[in-house]
Amino acid sequence: MGSRSVEGEQASLADDYDALISTTDVVLLKRAWRNEKAAPEILHFESDLITRVREQIELMEETVEEKSTVGTDPLSVSLYQMDLDRTLFLLRSYLRIRIQKIEKYMFHLRKTEELWNRLSKDEKFFTERCTDDFKKHLEESVLSKLPENYQSYERQSVISEEDDMVPEPRLDTFVLCRSKEYLTGIQLEDGPVDDRSKLFEMEPDVLYFICYKSIKPLVESGKIDLL
């Protein structure tokens, strides 16, 4: 009877563990993390997913604490803790990568509506603070001491036609990717859409090394995963 009771308790713990880890959200978070890490530009903030993951982390922390205080098998507790650590790592890394992109491209993000709308509320606040503080620092320490024609933080001089001092993501960067389904009609280079010599096909679950700009809409739609 004692052996059966222990086996039953272990089976129950395994069921609880499987239900707790919410594999779907962990997989989605890992996918979002990989895409964000590999993409040269900032992607849409996964608001709903991040909210669910944060709620899951709170539940996991409560569960680990509860299991530790009631004398649960240390192996079972370690499984909960391992999954908690893994989820925390993915979440923190995902947010950190986005912050690094914001710091690098903050002026470009702030003036580009499409990219600005990809940021979360907190990220927008952070971007505004960064750009305002950096502009103030540049003006006080450098720009105010230069000739009037060179006092712009966006352009090298007043004769510049573009904001050539504002870093922008390199969309022509090559990335490693994999398609979830058979895709056709992918245009590899700029040119007429009906130019079939420049169209490309992708088989599912096959790795490709391709220009990000060519697959950008497919990454945004979720049909292609970056690696």
Side-chain angles (χ1 to χ4, degrees):
M1 287 293 291
S3 176
R4 291 181 180 179
S5 176
V6 171
E7 291 176 356
E9 180 181 355
Q10 291 178 341
S12 177
L13 287 171
D15 291 340
D16 290 344
Y17 176 74
D18 290 339
L20 178 66
I21 62 175
S22 300
T23 304
T24 301
D25 281 344
V26 172
V27 170
L28 290 175
L29 177 59
K30 190 173 183 179
R31 175 179 174 272
W33 168 71
R34 281 200 307 252
N35 284 344
E36 195 67 63
K37 187 176 181 180
E41 62 176 349
I42 198 164
L43 303 177
H44 283 284
F45 181 72
E46 300 286 350
S47 178
D48 293 340
L49 173 62
I50 298 305
T51 298
R52 294 198 306 270
V53 168
R54 282 173 169 160
E55 292 174 351
Q56 176 185 331
I57 287 174
E58 290 181 3
L59 175 61
M60 294 166 69
E61 289 174 335
E62 293 173 359
T63 302
V64 169
E65 184 178 356
E66 178 183 348
K67 298 295 184 182
S68 299
T69 56
V70 298
T72 303
D73 179 16
L75 178 59
S76 298
V77 176
S78 67
L79 289 176
Y80 284 95
Q81 186 64 54
M82 284 172 54
D83 193 71
L84 172 60
D85 292 342
R86 177 181 62 154
T87 307
L88 280 170
F89 168 79
L90 289 173
L91 177 60
R92 290 168 177 168
S93 183
Y94 170 77
L95 297 175
R96 187 181 303 114
I97 291 168
R98 293 182 62 85
I99 289 297
Q100 291 171 344
K101 288 183 178 181
I102 289 174
E103 291 176 337
K104 186 174 183 179
Y105 302 118
M106 53 185 170
F107 290 113
H108 180 65
L109 292 173
R110 194 163 180 180
K111 71 174 186 175
T112 308
E113 184 177 1
E114 178 189 357
L115 298 179
W116 183 253
N117 291 333
R118 296 179 183 180
L119 306 182
S120 69
K121 181 179 178 181
D122 290 338
E123 288 174 338
K124 289 179 179 179
F125 177 75
F126 176 75
T127 306
E128 290 172 343
R129 289 290 303 271
C130 279
T131 53
D132 292 343
D133 290 346
F134 191 62
K135 282 166 57 179
K136 182 179 179 181
H137 172 71
L138 283 178
E139 290 168 355
E140 293 179 351
S141 62
V142 180
L143 296 179
S144 62
K145 299 176 176 59
L146 296 176
E148 185 176 352
N149 290 347
Y150 298 92
Q151 291 186 358
S152 172
Y153 63 90
E154 295 179 326
R155 303 184 179 188
Q156 293 190 43
S157 69
V158 292
I159 63 174
S160 300
E161 297 181 356
E162 299 179 352
D163 295 341
D164 48 11
M165 295 286 285
V166 177
E168 298 183 11
R170 293 288 301 273
L171 301 185
D172 56 352
T173 300
F174 276 72
V175 294
L176 187 65
C177 63
R178 178 173 53 204
S179 172
K180 297 180 179 180
E181 58 190 75
Y182 176 77
L183 299 174
T184 186
I186 301 173
Q187 191 169 2
L188 294 182
E189 302 176 24
D190 293 335
V193 178
D194 58 353
D195 186 352
R196 296 185 179 276
S197 65
K198 296 182 179 179
L199 297 182
F200 183 70
E201 298 177 351
M202 294 184 70
E203 298 284 347
D205 297 322
V206 176
L207 297 182
Y208 294 91
F209 192 59
I210 191 171
C211 179
Y212 174 78
K213 187 176 181 180
S214 300
I215 59 171
K216 171 178 157 68
L218 297 171
V219 173
E220 294 172 348
S221 65
K223 293 183 179 180
I224 288 181
D225 288 338
L226 301 181
L227 302 172

